[in-house]
Amino acid sequence: MDDLQALIFDVDGTLAETEELHRLCFNAAFAAAGLDWSWSQPLYRDLLGVTGGKERIAYFIAQFGGRPALPAADIAALHAAKTALYTTRMAEGAIAPRPGILRLIAEARAAGLACAIATTTSRPNIDALLAAFAPDALSWFDAIAAGDQVAAKKPAPDVYHLALKQLGLPAASCLAIEDSRNGLESARAAGLACLITRSPYTDGQNFAPALHVVEHLGDPDHPCPDIAGGMVTLPLLRDWHRRARR
Ligand SMILES: [Mg+2]
């Protein structure tokens, strides 16, 4: 029972290049709250080592002395304001799926595989992103495990354990697709083989335990430079998955 039966996708950086929009919305939320915090791209690259928006804000405050210490309720309010800005921008069409994402999901579903999401982002962000992809995009996924449903965020395996439980499948039958070291560790700790699609904010991280590392999944308009044929197809994934299980 280790044939490939499901693909489990990370969201930020994997389904879409969302990190830059997240960064801009954090800064807009800080400004709206009268805070003079501004997260630059290099700083945000470091801050992405902390998964979860509220956790990231708390880490920033603790790490950079001289900031006013904020009570947890204020951090939650800041994060809620940021999420509202983000979902609005998303609904306006600010983000497109990464190359090959829609193709591979369609290919998997047509072949009878399940598709799922395992992410540390919160549920409103997922709903906003999927609604921007297509009106029925929520229905493409048989399970959605989000960061606000588990005790420990990535790199802990909790969110993958939850996705597997929702799917009713063993880890050996599933393959994770991630863009970060934290995501890779989370998937591996839950016993899943993991494909990495590199992204600007995670490039240069150590992806040694990954099944494969590629620029993106590729489609006819944006061929993947790392794959003969330019596309990570379902047969290719099945082949990689089978070899990894031997
Ligand atoms: Mg990611």
Side-chain angles (χ1 to χ4, degrees), residues 9-175:
F9 294 85
D10 168 52
V11 171
D12 293 313
T14 299
L15 289 184
E17 295 284 16
T18 51
E19 301 296 10
E20 187 60 8
L21 182 60
H22 279 295
R23 184 182 72 86
L24 295 172
C25 291
F26 274 114
N27 284 339
F30 298 155
L35 296 161
D36 67 349
W37 304 344
S38 181
W39 290 356
S40 66
Q41 287 183 346
L43 174 62
Y44 195 59
R45 203 180 154 92
D46 290 344
L47 292 174
L48 281 174
V50 182
T51 54
K54 289 187 283 288
E55 291 82 353
R56 196 167 299 148
I57 295 170
Y59 172 85
F60 170 75
I61 294 169
Q63 198 68 19
F64 296 85
R67 311 283 172 186
L70 285 185
D74 288 6
I75 292 178
L78 261 183
H79 185 249
K82 178 262 168 182
T83 299
L85 288 166
Y86 180 85
T87 53
T88 301
R89 291 295 314 282
M90 199 61 96
E92 294 164 356
I95 296 288
R98 290 194 70 190
I101 284 290
L102 300 187
R103 172 191 57 76
L104 182 62
I105 290 173
E107 213 179 316
R109 284 169 48 79
L113 266 73
C115 290
I117 282 175
T119 175
T120 52
T121 203
S122 45
R123 187 62 199 250
N125 291 343
I126 304 170
D127 292 346
L129 179 67
L130 294 182
F133 280 7
D136 66 339
L138 255 186
S139 71
W140 302 344
F141 296 94
D142 302 277
I144 296 183
D148 35 17
Q149 298 172 297
V150 294
K153 296 183 178 174
K154 297 177 186 177
D158 300 35
V159 80
Y160 274 101
H161 285 150
L162 180 60
L164 292 174
K165 191 175 162 198
Q166 291 177 1
L167 288 170
L169 290 172
S173 309
C174 303
L175 193 148

